Amino acid sequence: MLNYILRRIGVSIMILFGSSFLVYNLAAYASDPLAELRLSTDDGARQQIIALTRDLQLDVPPPIRYFLWLKGVLGLFVGNLNLGMTREASSVQEELAYAIPVTIRLVLVATITALLLGLALGIISALRQYSRFDYGMTFLAFLLYSLPIFWVAVLLKEFMAIQFNNFLSEPNIPIKWMFIFSIFTGIFWSSLFGGERKRFWSVFAGAFATNFVILWAIDLTNWYLNPGLGPILIAFLSIGIAFGVTAISTGLSNSTAKKAALTMAGLAVVWYYPAQWIFNNFGSYLTILIMISLIVLTGIGLSRVFSKIDHGPIARTAIITGLMSGILILVDRIMQSWAEYSATDAVNGRPVPTYGQRKDQLVTTDFWINNLDIIMHLILPTLALILISLAGWIRYSRGALLEVLNQDYIRTARAKGLNERVVITRHAFRNMMLPLSSLFVGEFVGLVGGAVITERVFGWQGMGTLGIKAINSYDLNLLMGVNLLLSILVISGNLIADLVYSALDPRIRLGK
Amino acid sequence: MKLFGRKEKATGEILAGGENAIANKEVEGLSQGQIVRRRFFRHRAAVIALVALSSIILFVLTSLDTKIGPIRIPGWWKWTVEDIPELRFEDCPGGTTGCPTLSLNPTGDFGMGNHPFGQDDIGRDYFALVMNGARRSLMIMFVIGAVSGFIGVVVGSISGFYGKRVDAVLMRLVDFIQTVPTIIIAAVIGKAAGRVGPFFLALFLGILGWTGLARLVRAQFLSLREMEFVDAARVAGASNIRIAFKHILPNAVGQIIVSVTLIMAGAILTETALSYLGFGVVAPDVSLGLLISQYESSFTTRPWLFWWPGFFIISIALCVNFIGDGLRDAFDPRQRRRITKKDRLQAKLQIKAGE
């Protein structure tokens, strides 16, 4: 195994060397960094040409200049990495160090959300093959496949940011929109549950009415001006979560797990007011981390208290319930900062931004307002990326689950008399995740490339913006920096995908 | 709440057995091509997409003048990209200019009018611009599909057929090309290619886009060359080239066609994205992505400048994707006919009769 990994790394370095040599020369010959200056008749231009030629060693022919650049890169191994200078005489690695976290933040959130959502939709779609929901999802996936991301991004900016901000200045949901929105929600839920005509209409009526009432209440109380969930809503939602998680995780017939999950939900509600105090006084990432570990410990403790045997599934159920309720409380806390955030001078009543990754004018030391600012800037670009990559996940997971459900071991599991929940979650789900695990890395890497356009539309200062800047200003060193990083990402991504696949699936042996 | 529909699965499985028999009877005595054609035309969405795409292509190609060398075929649309007619002021919302004259109101002034998609800043007819852009995008899509398809099939079949050292070398080449970030290299080339025109841009993009297809064809060849019919052909004295092209390739053709349609759908998005960033087709030439990027900021006041190019990108990509899906189903030998309501009813009756 180690042998295989070492060999792969060796080959990868060769490939990296070749591809960077190719890109370097291609870019060097395809563009002339001095073209604009040469046309200029200004006296200063001549000076600049001489200075740039000296600084960027432009008098050396590109194939040889590449090795000068490579020498700087190989300095990495002696602790002296040097990716060269940009045209503005700043260091390339400093520019990259600033841009990488920005892109990672954007892409990581989008990939994970798209994965979870796409998995859920794809699985339901496969379980209800050839149903209305399935056809709807297939069409949705194809539609999302065909959308150009810059087009979606511009639409999002217009409708989710500009129009929504206008709406917030005069908040009033017209009855017409309540109707239309509720009808869509009704169609979604009733096609999700499926069944005969009677059931379809009863689910539709229920979802329609609930949605309509919620919208009405939101409109009457002007909830979006001062949002929050409050302890009562959190209590209801937590109990719902407890039942839902138990149903999928262990089945509702497991009364011990149900008790543990419900206790966990109860603890979360009791914990609501102390949590407020802690959040207000000690708001930091460390506090959140401590709370998460507390939830995990409580879950394990509960499983010991309620049962003498089989702690694993019970603890799992309790912990997932606790974490989800905890997220509710966290969301509630962040929402409480909304009004204050919205009223600050920097935001000035237009809380959904269309541009940039932070509000530079926002001066506050408040942990929650700072985070709300980050979240608000993340929302639209993330949404655009999610919409684009969601299609793939719906199709992959649907296809993978259908493939697995046709296998003999599923028939065997059913023939043994296992109930459908166990067949799906244990036998089918785990096997379906095998091919998907290798796709995750690829999707992540692909999205980093896709983020180029998103960053440009939303004005984020990430890798993509750097790359575009490099190409536009014929900045070879900067371009090579971005290119090198993306190439390393692709190569290591492929390697990790293969390793994960072989680690999960014992049938696959690498290096043979 | 019924989370996992067990009961329906059970009837489904009963159906599947009988259904295979039905399916086998259906295809008895038909050639491969006939079976595929039949299956494809049963896929309603794919057929609709095929009709829609053909009409879009016809519409786009005939609307403007076509120049092939010295020959000039006139189009049916009155304006060209170079014309600068007068800007329309009357009846436009909110004091804007050049609003569209397209009207779908059957009782009123139904028809295209003078400028169905409106006019741009200086008065150029937007319909002509969009048609020209769609033409560029279609051309680029087909060129990329053809180039990537050709290279992918050739490299993949050689790699899979010969295996061993040839395979290792070619697959490293695939790794090599995949390592170069497409958008960066395409942008570098696009920036330079802006001078040589969209055809060469398409050619370059095609040269970068074949790696996935090559892997797929290789995998097909690796498994097919171990089949008995290949041995039989070899014993009968067939040459390597004859085995590869006459015996193995026809068996892989389904997957290849599907994969090429997916490449084409992706290609139109790549081209528009590059043009949007300013690295693809550049002004004064027209492309759909370029149009969107030029009029992005006027979305609030003159939304038609934004909607129409987007509409054409999405409809072309959507049609190609659906055709690909139809082809995948048509070529997939494991594909079962979908269970309709009628089948379900019949199965229930059969079960009842059995009881």
Side-chain angles (χ1 to χ4, degrees), chain A residues 11 14-20 22-23 26-27 30-31 126-130 132 135 138-139 142-152 154-155 157-159 162-163 193 195-197 199 247-248 395 403 405-406 411 414-415 418-421 424-425 449 452-453 456-457 467-468 471-474 479 482-483 486-488 490-491 494, chain B residues 1-6 8-9 13 43 171-173 175-181 183-189 191-192 195 215 262 265 268-269 271-274 276-279 288-290 292-293 296-297 299-300 306-311 313-319 321-322 324-326 328-329 334-339 341 344 348:
Chain A
V11 173
M14 291 302 291
I15 289 176
L16 262 183
F17 170 74
S19 83
S20 60
L22 181 80
V23 174
L26 210 60
S31 60
L127 290 177
R128 309 214 175 293
Q129 197 188 6
Y130 300 138
R132 288 183 212 98
Y135 283 124
T138 306
F139 184 77
F142 277 124
L143 186 67
L144 293 179
Y145 253 145
S146 318
L147 287 180
I149 188 164
F150 51 91
W151 198 76
V152 178
V154 174
L155 281 191
K157 264 165 99 162
E158 175 68 19
F159 291 108
I162 298 172
Q163 305 273 7
F193 281 97
E196 299 296 317
R197 189 165 295 167
R199 189 158 119 146
I248 293 176
R395 296 298 290 169
E403 187 79 36
L405 282 177
N406 269 333
R411 198 195 305 266
R414 286 201 177 118
L418 294 180
N419 65 32
E420 194 66 9
R421 186 192 65 76
I424 301 294
T425 56
V452 173
I453 298 159
R456 143 94 195 251
V457 181
I468 293 176
I471 293 164
N472 271 333
S473 61
Y474 304 116
L479 178 73
V482 175
N483 176 54
L486 289 181
S487 310
I488 291 176
V490 173
I491 287 187
N494 282 338
Chain B
M1 188 175 84
K2 209 171 66 179
L3 251 175
F4 310 99
R6 177 70 211 265
E8 284 178 24
K9 275 270 138 50
E13 264 163 26
H43 195 298
M171 281 302 111
R172 290 299 82 74
L173 180 71
D175 284 344
F176 179 77
I177 290 181
Q178 278 187 334
T179 317
V180 183
I183 197 121
I184 298 255
I185 191 76
V188 170
I189 291 165
K191 184 97 176 162
R195 297 190 286 267
R215 276 182 193 277
L262 292 181
I268 195 168
L269 294 183
E271 180 270 322
T272 47
L274 275 177
Y276 174 82
L277 290 175
F279 301 131
L288 295 178
L290 191 65
I292 291 183
S293 120
E296 182 190 335
S297 53
F299 181 56
T300 320
F306 177 81
W307 286 120
W308 286 110
F311 171 78
I313 298 174
I314 294 171
S315 15
I316 294 172
L318 195 63
C319 287
N321 270 326
F322 265 114
D325 189 49
R328 186 201 334 259
D329 281 0
R334 291 174 307 173
Q335 209 254 332
R336 291 179 186 161
R337 226 179 71 191
R338 71 166 262 245
I339 302 163
K341 255 190 190 147
R344 195 161 292 197
K348 274 182 191 160

Side-chain angles (χ1 to χ4, degrees), chain B residues 237-283:
Chain B
S239 66
N240 274 342
I241 293 181
R242 191 180 166 81
I243 292 176
F245 288 105
K246 276 276 174 184
H247 296 267
I248 300 184
L249 199 60
N251 283 296
V253 84
Q255 290 226 13
I256 292 172
I257 290 180
V258 172
S259 179
V260 168
T261 58
L262 292 181
I263 289 178
M264 280 162 66
I268 195 168
L269 294 183
T270 312
E271 180 270 322
T272 47
L274 275 177
S275 303
Y276 174 82
L277 290 175
F279 301 131
V281 176
V282 285

